[in-house]
């Protein structure tokens, strides 16, 4: 069933009746159940020393949170007790895995996370892409990497009426009307009012960068520049793999990122037409962090950062992930909810950050694994589900 949202805002007509889909699925029902650390498969084999720097980054953000619960979600953990744990962590000056393991076991309680009684979910993976670029348009460098457009407008319906859903609309103003922002095809063919950060040499690499959200740009000057997510045009995302499969151009078993990229490069003219069917366009910003910056506001760590659905899982929390990699090897480790993604929806759903470069692409592009996770909450914290 489809619903159409048409509103009149003060001084502005919301035009186009933004389409909303009503999905006939069972509503999510997150449930937490206390367990013991000995019930976490692989717990004794964890590299706890690797957790120390990631915990430090997380705590820097959590200590600045002034809300009663850390990063509002269906699963709620009180900020005060989490901040108290972060202070005790800083005071402990932990510098080895044995001490880190003891600290976690003393200060945290694991909770099994289920949805409608089901602990199993889906875990995919993402990586930090690489593009080749120049500060100037010349030679092979013909494709603009845009910053946030100057004419892009964002509206949250709840800002106008507290009873309206917390819905973010992205568009532009045209003749006094608020209309959807340009789609990918319009942006690539006609250009937009936006700063050009640099010029890329490969539209396929740029498309993959937008899917991942960030990249390292290897400049023709020899320097490396990291670029990250700034905003989007608000249009619907459709994965290029799904597009190729639907049209019978590749088989589902051949839909890994490396194979998709190879097909697109072998068919450049057709590739541009097909990529335009993904109307979502990502705008970038320059980033001087030591890695891509996730939604939590900290740089992501390969193998330790997870994108989650923050409607259910609060950003910043520590999780025990129990899944497997594309080759069947176990992934049983502590990860941190530090990012979100448009396709990451559900109570037990995660996108595992693999890192940067071709090896990361090889693994990330093939991962589509079942698994589960446990939320590790401060032992003294109030934990509840709305």
């Amino acid at each position: 069933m489809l619903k159409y949202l048409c509103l009149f805002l003060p001084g502005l007509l919301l035009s186009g009746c933004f389409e909303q889909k009503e999905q006939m699925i069972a509503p999510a029902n997150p449930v937490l159940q206390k367990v013991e650390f000995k019930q976490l498969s692989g717990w004794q084999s964890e590299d706890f020393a690797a957790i120390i720097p990631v915990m430090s980054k997380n705590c820097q953000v959590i200590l600045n949170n002034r809300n009663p619960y850390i990063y509002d979600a269906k699963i709620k953990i009180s900020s005060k007790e989490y901040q108290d744990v972060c202070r005790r962590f800083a005071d402990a000056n932990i510098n080895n895995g044995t001490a880190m393991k003891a600290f976690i076991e003393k200060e945290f309680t694991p909770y099994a996370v289920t949805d409608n009684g089901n602990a199993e979910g889906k875990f995919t993976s993402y990586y930090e892409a690489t593009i080749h670029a120049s500060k100037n348009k010349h030679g092979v460098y013909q494709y603009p990497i845009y910053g946030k457009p100057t004419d892009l407008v964002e509206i949250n319906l709840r800002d106008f009426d507290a009873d309206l859903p917390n819905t973010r609309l992205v568009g532009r103003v045209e003749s006094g009307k608020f209309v959807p922002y340009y789609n990918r095809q319009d942006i690539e063919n006609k250009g937009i009012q936006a700063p050009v950060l640099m010029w890329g040499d490969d539209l396929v690499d740029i498309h993959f960068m937008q899917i991942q959200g960030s990249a390292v740009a290897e400049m023709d000057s020899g320097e490396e520049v990291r670029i990250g997510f700034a905003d989007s045009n608000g249009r619907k995302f459709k994965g290029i793999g799904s597009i190729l499969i639907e049209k019978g151009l590749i088989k589902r078993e051949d839909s890994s990122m490396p194979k998709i990229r190879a097909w697109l490069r072998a068919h450049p003219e057709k590739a541009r037409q097909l990529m335009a069917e993904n109307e979502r366009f990502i705008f970038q910003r320059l980033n001087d962090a030591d890695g891509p910056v996730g939604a939590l506001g900290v740089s992501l760590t390969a193998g330790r950062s997870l994108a989650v659905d923050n409607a259910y899982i609060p950003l910043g929390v520590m999780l025990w992930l129990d899944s497997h990699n594309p080759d069947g090897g176990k992934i049983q480790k502590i990860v941190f909810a530090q990012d979100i993604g448009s396709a990451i929806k559900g109570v037990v759903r995660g996108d595992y950050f693999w890192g940067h470069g071709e090896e990361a692409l090889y693994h990330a592009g093939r991962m589509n694994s079942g698994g589960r996770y446990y939320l590790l909450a401060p032992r003294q914290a109030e934990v509840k589900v709305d």
Side-chain angles (χ1 to χ4, degrees), residues 273-306:
Q273 298 172 20
L274 294 170
M275 289 188 295
E277 293 189 24
N278 172 24
E279 295 191 355
R280 175 70 62 91
F281 194 95
I282 302 300
F283 309 111
Q284 313 293 154
R285 64 181 178 86
L286 299 179
N287 171 16
D288 59 1
D290 59 356
V293 176
L296 183 64
V298 301
S299 57
L300 304 179
T301 303
R304 296 294 176 181
S305 297
L306 192 75

Side-chain angles (χ1 to χ4, degrees), residues 1-2 14 47 49 53 123 132 144 207 279 316 328 331 342 353 380:
M1 181 182 295
L2 295 179
L14 180 61
D47 178 8
F123 293 89
H132 298 93
H207 196 88
E279 295 191 355
I331 298 178
S342 60
F353 179 62
Q380 303 301 322

